[in-house]
Each structure stands twice: as C-alpha cells, then as structure tokens.
Amino acid sequence: EKAGFSKLVTIVARDVMERGFDVAVPLEFPSIIEEAAKVTGRTVLRYYQCTNDNSDRHARELASVQPFLFDGLILALNALEIISSSYIGLGQFLETMPELVTENRFLKIHCPPQRILSSLASGANGVTEGVFLGEKGNRVLLRSSRNGDGLFMFAESYSQETAKALCDSVEAKVREMMKADGNRG
C-alpha cells in the first residue's frame, strides 16, 4: 500500500532529520514530510522522475546515500529499529503522525502535455517536471507521462473525499481544455 510506504519513509526520514541531516524524496511524495522538517529545522529536497536538466542534482546525490528510499528491506529494518527504540507499538507510533490521504490517477490526453501544464501553471506552482495546484495538505501534482500520451495526477488531502474531489476537479479542467483544443483544430 502506497500510504504505508509513505508513512514508513516519513518515520525513517524524520529520524534522519532529527540526527541533523537533510533528506531527499521524489517530487510526488506527500507534503507531510515537510512537517517533520519544520520540527527538526532540516530541509527536504525533491528529485524528479525524469529530469530535463540538472536542477535536481543535489537532491539526487542526497537520495543516493539514503538507501531506505529504494530498498524495502532497509526501509522496514530502519523503521522497526526506530519504533522499537521508542518503546511503543507500531500502531501507537503511526498515530503520532499526521494523516494525509492520496489519490493517484492517469488521464489519457490527445494533445501535447506541455500545452496543458503550461496553461494550468499560470498562477500555480510550476516545477521542472510538473505543476502543483492547491496548497500543501490539499494539492494535486500534475506530471506528464514519459511518452507524452497522458498526465499523472497525485492528489493529497486530509480526507479521501477531498483528495478524490481534487482529482475530479483537475480532470474536469483538463478535459475541458482538450475539448477546447479539439474545437480549434
């Protein structure tokens, strides 16, 4: 389960930050990790799935020395060590973490993804590999597929209904833009 993975990564990343180090996570990782960064005074760097330039070089270098991001066994062992040293059970430990729900979708498109992303980016938080719509805690990341035939949507919220509604809303905007694009052609 993706939410379980995110929680385990957050547990280990929080421990790394408490020991005085910054962490790196993928661009689409839930923003809840920034809450841990605020508490510890450390920085969360984000790296792209498929970078166009070298703008995320530092984040990629940092991620390369954090094997818990890529190896499930190391992640599980690190998380178990942290939880067992806290003298509380996993359930209680997870309850101390804020709950963010995610909703992920893939939307097939019939026009260049950059046209849609550029249009949506006006007034939004654009990044090299996608566009964030909304605020931390209630936001959607839109990112093009590698072959350009669709958009990935990564929504996050404190409720499943809101995460779904965010995806529905962005999907409706994209469909409307494609419809308008088709009428021009």
Side-chain angles (χ1 to χ4, degrees):
E1 176 188 292
K2 191 90 167 150
F5 171 78
S6 297
K7 282 185 177 184
L8 289 178
V9 168
T10 303
I11 288 170
V12 176
R14 184 169 65 183
D15 182 67
V16 168
M17 289 186 282
E18 285 171 354
R19 289 185 283 120
F21 301 97
D22 294 338
V23 295
V25 294
L27 179 65
E28 64 271 7
F29 196 85
S31 64
I32 201 71
I33 198 160
E34 271 89 8
E35 296 302 314
K38 279 184 204 165
V39 171
T40 61
R42 301 310 306 177
T43 302
V44 175
L45 302 173
R46 291 182 180 264
Y47 57 89
Y48 305 128
Q49 195 76 1
C50 182
T51 187
N52 297 341
D53 55 21
N54 218 9
S55 61
D56 66 344
R57 181 182 54 79
H58 187 60
R60 287 182 177 282
E61 288 171 357
L62 183 56
S64 73
V65 297
Q66 296 175 332
F68 66 89
L69 291 169
F70 310 104
D71 187 320
L73 183 58
I74 291 174
L75 175 64
L77 290 172
N78 284 184
L80 286 172
E81 182 181 356
I82 293 162
I83 292 165
S84 67
S85 68
S86 72
Y87 302 107
I88 62 173
L90 174 61
Q92 287 175 289
F93 198 91
L94 292 176
E95 284 176 15
T96 67
M97 298 176 62
E99 184 74 33
L100 260 183
V101 181
T102 59
E103 170 100 5
N104 302 331
R105 291 188 195 168
F106 179 76
L107 178 60
K108 217 124 159 83
I109 58 173
H110 58 72
C111 61
Q114 278 313 115
R115 187 178 304 160
I116 293 171
L117 294 176
S118 295
S119 179
L120 289 172
S122 60
N125 181 11
V127 292
T128 302
E129 193 173 280
V131 176
F132 280 110
L133 303 172
E135 301 295 320
K136 286 182 182 170
N138 282 317
R139 71 179 186 178
V140 178
L141 167 66
L142 249 69
R143 183 170 52 81
S144 171
S145 64
R146 286 183 188 207
N147 61 5
D149 69 340
L151 295 171
F152 290 104
M153 287 186 273
F154 303 93
E156 64 178 39
S157 180
Y158 291 100
S159 79
Q160 189 65 54
E161 296 79 28
T162 305
K164 184 182 177 320
L166 286 167
C167 272
D168 290 345
S169 171
V170 171
E171 185 173 338
K173 281 181 189 173
V174 169
R175 290 193 185 285
E176 193 59 40
M177 292 169 77
M178 286 192 304
K179 186 176 172 185
D181 190 60
N183 291 340
R184 277 192 306 218

